[in-house]
């Protein structure tokens, strides 16, 4: 952004301060306590919105290291890079915390129709899947649209490759077919499982993601196919055409690997042992560059601390950024954090995770008691100017979840109304989908929330 508009933006924010201060005595909504935070909030927002720093850093992360699956060299190199960069930012207590992570590798893979006429299909093996023999697994296709259809197919499932052709409604609802479908089909004798990709119809994009084998069920290979290919196969079945498929996957687990959570802080000036935690997960699936899932969440939460440091804002309590490892196929980083800090969870004032992409952030979800919700809603009024003042009914995150539950800690998550699930876990999860202004808005908003909660004498009470 040119210097002139930077000055202009700052002036707009700063000019609004005397007006708000002069009226605080008569403020009817009980938010007069916020007035001392208007000036630092305006500075944080002004600093974030006047540059593309965070977006550039996110682009650099993806361009330099690519995707970051647990066990990969690129993940560990990215982790080492974040340590160096956090130190350059002047963050304090920058360090890694060791975590053993699963090491699943995809290898070569393919899916093709072999009868009635050969043609390749677009696929991605599901994370944690077993592989096939080198020659692949052949089977006649059986398509079901829900678990009831699978169960009523009964003995017809044996020896088949089962496709769960379930159109995307929302993630929570549709993902169960990816997570549990393979074991449900295997229990009835299927030789492999396919799922229609968990996401809205795109441009022939397969979406990977983890599966969970049920204890005691045979482990069969499983993959996702593009929605267009699922529709094609459905039309063939509806016409009564027998379709024979061949699935080849080299997927396998190697021994657990060494990885790390990354931690950086702004140490609190009065109550350094009380902490506000913000963060995202540094690992990603092994396709695309994990720029929305979850490079953006890492960079935006980290940037909140960089902004505070740059503006010499040292709050009463510690603000800690954590970049968790292994969210995607194990959540080992999140559970390791809980275990490591189990005696200190009572001193966690708030945990905030950003893991919803940075595609038009629209507000935050919050889970906590009523008093804390009221405080958060009041603080969020400082974010009206960047349209991030909406506080939704529930805040959570896979990485903060274990600690939040163990310590009964108030939880927040950044939410977006962009089409996150269109590119989620696909080769299209790349930086070009993300608007630099959205990264700045997210960084600014997280900085203001974390700063005010960490600074306010009463915390969230
Ligand atoms: Zn994620």
């Amino acid at each position: 952004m040119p210097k002139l508009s930077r000055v202009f933006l700052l002036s707009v924010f700063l000019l609004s301060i005397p007006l708000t201060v002069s009226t605080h005595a008569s403020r009817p909504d009980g938010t007069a306590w916020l007035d001392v935070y208007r000036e630092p909030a305006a500075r944080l927002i002004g600093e974030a919105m006047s540059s593309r720093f965070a977006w550039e850093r996110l682009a650099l992360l993806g361009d330099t290291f690519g995707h970051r699956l647990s066990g990969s060299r690129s993940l560990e190199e990215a982790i080492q890079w974040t340590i160096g960069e956090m130190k350059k930012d002047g963050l304090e207590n920058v360090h890694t915390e060791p975590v053993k992570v699963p090491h699943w590798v995809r290898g070569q893979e393919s899916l093709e129709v072999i009868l009635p006429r050969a043609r390749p299909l677009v696929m991605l093996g599901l994370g944690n899947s077993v592989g096939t023999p080198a020659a692949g697994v052949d089977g006649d296709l059986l398509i079901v649209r829900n678990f009831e259809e699978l169960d009523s197919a009964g003995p017809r499932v044996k020896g088949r490759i089962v496709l769960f052709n379930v159109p995307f409604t929302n993630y929570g609802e549709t993902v169960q077919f990816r997570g549990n479908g393979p074991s449900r089909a295997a229990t009835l004798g299927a030789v492999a499982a396919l799922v229609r990709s968990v996401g809205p119809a795109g441009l022939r994009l397969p979406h990977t993601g983890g599966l969970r084998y049920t204890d005691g069920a045979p482990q069969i290979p499983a993959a996702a196919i593009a929605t267009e290919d699922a529709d094609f196969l459905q039309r063939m079945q509806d016409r009564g055409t027998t379709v024979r498929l061949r699935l080849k996957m080299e997927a396998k687990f190697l021994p657990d690997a060494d990885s790390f959570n990354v931690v950086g802080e702004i140490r609190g000036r009065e109550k350094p042992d009380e902490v506000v935690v913000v963060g995202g997960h540094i690992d990603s699936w092994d396709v695309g560059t994990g720029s929305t899932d979850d490079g953006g969440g890492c960079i935006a939460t980290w940037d909140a601390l960089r902004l505070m440091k740059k503006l010499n804002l040292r709050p009463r309590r510690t603000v800690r950024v954590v970049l968790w490892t292994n969210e995607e196929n194990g959540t080992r980083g999140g559970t390791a954090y809980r275990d490591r800090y189990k005696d200190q969870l009572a001193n966690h004032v708030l945990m905030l995770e950003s893991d919803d992409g940075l595609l038009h952030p629209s507000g935050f979800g919050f889970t906590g008691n009523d008093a804390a919700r009221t405080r958060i809603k009041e603080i969020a009024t400082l974010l009206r100017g960047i349209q991030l003042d909406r506080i939704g009914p529930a805040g959570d995150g896979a990485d903060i979840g274990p600690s939040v539950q163990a310590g009964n800690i108030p939880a927040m998550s950044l939410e977006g109304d962009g089409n996150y699930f269109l590119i989620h876990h696909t080769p299209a999860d790349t930086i070009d989908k993300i608007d630099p202004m959205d990264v700045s808005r997210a960084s600014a908003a997280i900085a203001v929330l974390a700063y005010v909660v960490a600074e306010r004498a009463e915390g969230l009470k």
Side-chain angles (χ1 to χ4, degrees):
M1 183 175 291
K3 194 149 193 199
L4 192 63
S5 55
R6 178 186 169 129
V7 170
F8 172 74
L9 262 178
L10 280 170
S11 320
V12 170
F13 287 120
L14 292 173
L15 275 172
S16 68
I17 294 160
L19 288 172
T20 51
V21 170
S22 67
T23 57
H24 83 271
S26 58
R27 195 178 296 283
D29 57 2
T31 55
W33 70 268
L34 267 180
D35 285 341
V36 295
Y37 299 104
R38 294 184 195 281
E39 187 270 344
R43 288 173 65 207
L44 287 165
I45 293 169
E47 180 65 30
M49 299 306 293
S50 64
S51 89
R52 293 160 51 112
F53 183 94
W55 187 92
E56 296 286 358
R57 181 170 261 174
L58 178 56
L60 184 66
L61 170 68
D63 293 344
T64 307
F65 303 103
H67 53 70
R68 302 172 299 281
L69 186 61
S70 290
S72 68
R73 200 171 137 190
S74 56
L75 171 62
E76 296 313 311
E77 289 177 353
I79 285 171
Q80 292 308 316
W81 170 81
T82 61
I83 291 289
E85 292 292 296
M86 282 185 184
K87 286 180 178 166
K88 274 193 225 160
D89 290 346
L91 301 196
E92 298 145 18
N93 194 21
V94 175
H95 65 277
T96 52
E97 298 175 350
V99 184
K100 281 276 183 200
V101 296
H103 189 183
W104 178 84
V105 291
R106 176 180 304 282
Q108 296 295 314
E109 55 184 16
S110 65
L111 175 66
E112 58 185 326
V113 176
I114 49 178
L115 288 172
R117 181 185 293 271
R119 69 196 275 178
L121 299 176
V122 180
M123 60 80 79
L124 274 175
L126 295 184
N128 306 333
S129 176
V130 297
T132 65
V137 167
D138 291 4
D140 287 350
L141 175 68
L142 173 69
I143 304 180
V144 297
R145 277 168 290 208
N146 48 53
F147 287 128
E148 293 70 39
E149 279 190 22
L150 175 76
D151 292 339
S152 55
R156 288 193 296 125
V157 176
K158 193 169 167 49
R160 301 287 197 97
I161 295 179
V162 170
L163 165 63
F164 293 91
N165 186 18
V166 186
F168 182 75
T169 49
N170 63 64
Y171 195 68
E173 215 168 75
T174 315
V175 77
Q176 59 177 316
F177 296 97
R178 186 190 82 204
N180 305 325
S183 283
R184 295 275 297 254
T187 305
L188 294 172
V191 292
L194 303 173
V195 292
R196 180 187 178 103
S197 282
V198 181
L203 293 173
R204 214 174 175 206
L205 266 180
H207 298 231
T208 189
L211 63 74
R212 284 180 310 280
Y213 289 125
T214 308
D215 286 344
Q219 299 193 348
I220 58 171
I225 63 173
T227 58
E228 291 91 332
D229 289 351
D231 289 339
F232 152 68
L233 294 172
Q234 183 75 55
R235 290 192 300 274
M236 297 289 275
Q237 174 166 296
D238 291 349
R239 290 185 200 114
T241 307
T242 298
V243 175
R244 193 161 179 81
L245 300 173
R246 176 171 297 154
L247 176 67
K248 287 186 181 175
M249 291 172 60
E250 291 179 348
K252 64 180 175 189
F253 274 104
L254 299 174
D256 282 1
D258 291 319
S259 190
F260 302 90
N261 290 338
V262 179
V263 174
E265 294 179 340
I266 306 265
R267 296 292 291 170
R269 68 171 195 282
E270 270 182 29
K271 299 178 170 179
D273 295 338
E274 295 188 15
V275 291
V276 171
V277 170
V278 298
H281 64 85
I282 187 71
D283 69 303
S284 74
W285 281 110
D286 57 337
V287 291
T289 56
S291 292
T292 70
D293 188 11
D294 180 29
C298 291
I299 297 294
T301 51
W302 164 7
D303 209 54
L305 277 74
R306 183 189 68 86
L307 292 166
M308 281 180 225
K309 187 72 191 178
K310 182 149 190 217
L311 298 176
N312 282 316
L313 291 169
R314 181 181 297 282
R316 203 176 302 270
R317 298 180 186 80
T318 295
V319 178
R320 176 183 296 158
V321 59
V322 185
L323 309 184
W324 287 278
T325 192
N326 184 231
E327 188 274 341
E328 295 294 3
N329 61 338
T331 332
R332 300 253 188 105
T335 51
Y337 183 91
R338 174 199 64 197
D339 296 345
R340 186 182 186 98
Y341 291 93
K342 64 177 186 298
D343 296 333
Q344 295 161 51
L345 294 178
N347 293 336
H348 282 52
V349 180
L350 174 70
M351 293 186 85
L352 181 152
E353 180 157 2
S354 171
D355 185 19
D356 200 15
L358 293 180
L359 305 173
H360 201 256
S362 57
F364 293 86
F366 177 79
T367 296
N369 66 34
D370 288 348
R373 171 174 293 280
T374 302
R375 291 296 88 72
I376 289 291
K377 281 189 161 176
E378 289 167 353
I379 298 167
T381 61
L382 298 171
L383 307 175
R384 253 175 216 152
I386 50 171
Q387 289 94 47
L388 279 168
D389 53 319
R390 190 181 58 78
I391 300 298
D396 54 18
D399 301 288
I400 63 173
S403 301
V404 161
Q405 279 151 31
N408 195 23
I409 301 163
M412 290 192 86
S413 40
L414 181 67
E415 296 176 341
D417 57 17
N419 215 341
Y420 179 54
F421 287 107
L422 185 61
I423 60 170
H424 184 245
H425 297 180
T426 75
D429 181 353
T430 49
I431 184 70
D432 43 276
K433 315 300 186 303
I434 303 174
D435 183 336
M437 282 295 110
D438 282 342
V439 186
S440 291
R441 287 170 61 234
S443 304
I446 294 163
V448 170
L449 285 163
Y451 174 75
V452 177
V453 174
E455 173 63 16
R456 189 172 187 267
E458 306 87 347
L460 279 176
K461 294 195 183 79

